[in-house]
Amino acid sequence: MDTKKQKKPLLIIICILSALLVLGLVLGLTVFSKFRMYTIFSNRGSRLYSPAQIRDIKSDAYDKGANDFVDDMKGRLENGTGINTVLREIYTEDFIYTVDGKYYFSPINFDLKMNKLNNANFSKNSDGEITYSENGAVVSHKGIDISRYQGNIDFSKVKQSGVEYAIIRCGYRGYSGGTITDDSSFDTYMRNALSNDIKVGAYFFSQALTKDEAVEEADYVISKLKPYNVTCPVAIDVEEVNAGSSRQNTLTNEALTDTVIAFCDRIKEAGYTPMIYANSRYFAGKLDMSRLEDYEKWYAFYADVPYMPYEFSMWQYTNTGSVDGISGNVDLNISFKSSLPHAYPSCSSISGVCLCVPTPYAFMLSFTSQKRLATFAPLPAPEVPLLASIIIVSGSISPSFTIG
């Protein structure tokens, strides 16, 4: 039997089947390409969807997501969450503030020192006082800031209410005329707070237009602080004035920041701790925060938790607080420092020599040139009499303290 003749029909059949297979593939690809069908797999197998169907699916999914998002916002607003809070949680890379009902979104500079406080650690008691805790223990410090508008204050009761420090206005510059004016209650408040063991700091309401005016304001503040033991920060208050004629209304952000830096640097040169008081509008939209890294921040924001992306050391959380010993409303603050910043001058100069006095009291200095003896008398007088003598010999200092 001729095997070659038997194989020939078989080869022909294989060739025909191969040709049909190739033709089927070509036709299939042509149809797929023409109608652009796609396969979407699911746990039930696969289905073919046209581009129009896919567009409809995507649109439905987007609409559902948008509706869910809107429903979530609606529910939160109905439950009492403010629109500002909702927006701030959505736009986490912006520092949001409002002016005259308009919302402004200032990009956060994440290269700066950031706020590391945990909002879950804030708590508010039945009296409206807020504290900050870590590991179950309160680590914040209770304080007030006051001016002549608080009237007569019983600082003994203020101390008993738990107030640790008071930031007292020493003066202000007029927002139209530009005249520097004393706060008429400053000296009384300083003496009475210190005599009741309440630490003190100071603030000045600034309307400086130039660096020279800011230095003038700082020099004024320094002169007012000289008689007192100031252990808390000395702040420049920059805030909006509800008056169209405010001197600072026309200042650029750069110019305003220049005045703040000039004030703070002068205060620091005098040995005090400078601080900047402002609200979200100023910290987000009026000041160049990248130039203010070296200064303490005192943040005014009235809510149960602070909204501030940048590091700050003191928070004014209400202007309608109540403290025993003060009639009417008072600003309440908490500080987040483990101890209040050291703010009093660390030395004084006598004949070019720096005298460092390691004591919690302020001193009145008298100097007898004949004996080259400097004597410090406490001011105000502490409970324990203290005499400090410093002998100056060839430019060196030898302190001698007698307590008794």
Side-chain angles (χ1 to χ4, degrees), residues 314-342:
M314 193 180 296
W315 175 33
Q316 183 189 83
Y317 61 86
T318 182
N319 62 349
T320 57
S322 176
V323 171
D324 194 20
I326 299 177
S327 300
N329 295 331
V330 64
D331 298 339
L332 295 181
N333 303 270
I334 53 176
S335 168
F336 306 102
K337 298 288 186 178
S338 58
S339 61
L340 291 174
H342 172 83

Side-chain angles (χ1 to χ4, degrees), residues 148 168-174 178-187 190 202-207 211-228 230 234-236 262-263 266-267 270 272:
R148 65 181 179 85
I168 303 171
R169 189 179 74 164
C170 60
Y172 60 93
R173 187 189 287 275
T179 303
I180 293 179
T181 304
D182 293 340
D183 187 301
S184 57
S185 295
F186 175 73
D187 291 303
M190 291 290 281
Y203 75 93
F204 181 87
F205 175 76
S206 175
Q207 280 287 293
K211 289 186 285 187
D212 288 342
E213 284 193 350
V215 169
E216 179 190 15
E217 293 176 351
D219 286 342
Y220 163 83
V221 173
I222 293 166
S223 69
K224 297 288 290 183
L225 298 181
K226 282 183 179 179
Y228 306 108
V230 178
V234 178
I236 179 172
F263 179 97
R266 191 69 158 201
I267 293 296
Y272 301 96

Side-chain angles (χ1 to χ4, degrees), residues 27-212:
L27 291 173
L29 290 172
T30 301
V31 172
F32 184 85
S33 176
K34 181 176 181 179
F35 292 100
R36 299 177 61 194
M37 302 298 287
Y38 299 92
T39 303
I40 296 180
F41 293 91
S42 68
N43 58 357
R44 295 183 179 181
S46 62
R47 293 181 59 187
L48 292 175
Y49 291 88
S50 69
Q53 289 174 311
I54 291 176
R55 285 194 297 271
D56 290 341
I57 292 171
K58 290 171 65 176
S59 178
D60 290 343
Y62 178 83
D63 290 342
K64 184 179 186 304
N67 289 335
D68 289 345
F69 175 77
V70 171
D71 289 342
D72 177 66
M73 284 188 60
K74 181 180 178 181
R76 296 179 64 193
L77 292 173
E78 289 178 342
N79 289 330
T81 303
I83 184 65
N84 288 344
T85 300
V86 173
L87 288 175
R88 288 160 181 163
E89 291 178 358
I90 295 171
Y91 296 95
T92 57
E93 295 190 354
D94 292 302
F95 193 177
I96 304 173
Y97 62 99
T98 59
V99 179
D100 299 329
K102 296 181 180 180
Y103 287 83
Y104 295 85
F105 296 75
S106 176
I108 297 171
N109 186 346
F110 290 96
D111 292 330
L112 305 184
K113 297 174 186 177
M114 304 306 292
N115 172 18
K116 296 180 181 179
L117 298 170
N118 183 351
N119 282 354
N121 292 350
F122 288 96
S123 60
K124 187 175 184 179
N125 65 18
S126 57
D127 294 326
E129 293 184 4
I130 294 177
T131 56
Y132 185 79
S133 301
E134 290 180 352
N135 301 318
V138 174
V139 295
S140 57
H141 301 270
K142 179 181 177 180
I144 57 175
D145 62 272
I146 50 179
S147 67
R148 65 181 179 85
Y149 298 108
Q150 270 65 56
N152 294 325
I153 296 178
D154 187 335
F155 281 92
S156 175
K157 291 183 178 180
V158 171
K159 176 66 177 179
Q160 292 172 13
S161 73
V163 170
E164 299 177 55
Y165 60 92
I167 311 298
I168 303 171
R169 189 179 74 164
C170 60
Y172 60 93
R173 187 189 287 275
Y175 60 78
S176 57
T179 303
I180 293 179
T181 304
D182 293 340
D183 187 301
S184 57
S185 295
F186 175 73
D187 291 303
T188 299
Y189 287 170
M190 291 290 281
R191 288 193 298 267
N192 292 342
L194 287 168
S195 65
N196 283 278
D197 197 28
I198 297 174
K199 297 179 177 69
V200 294
Y203 75 93
F204 181 87
F205 175 76
S206 175
Q207 280 287 293
L209 295 181
T210 65
K211 289 186 285 187
D212 288 342

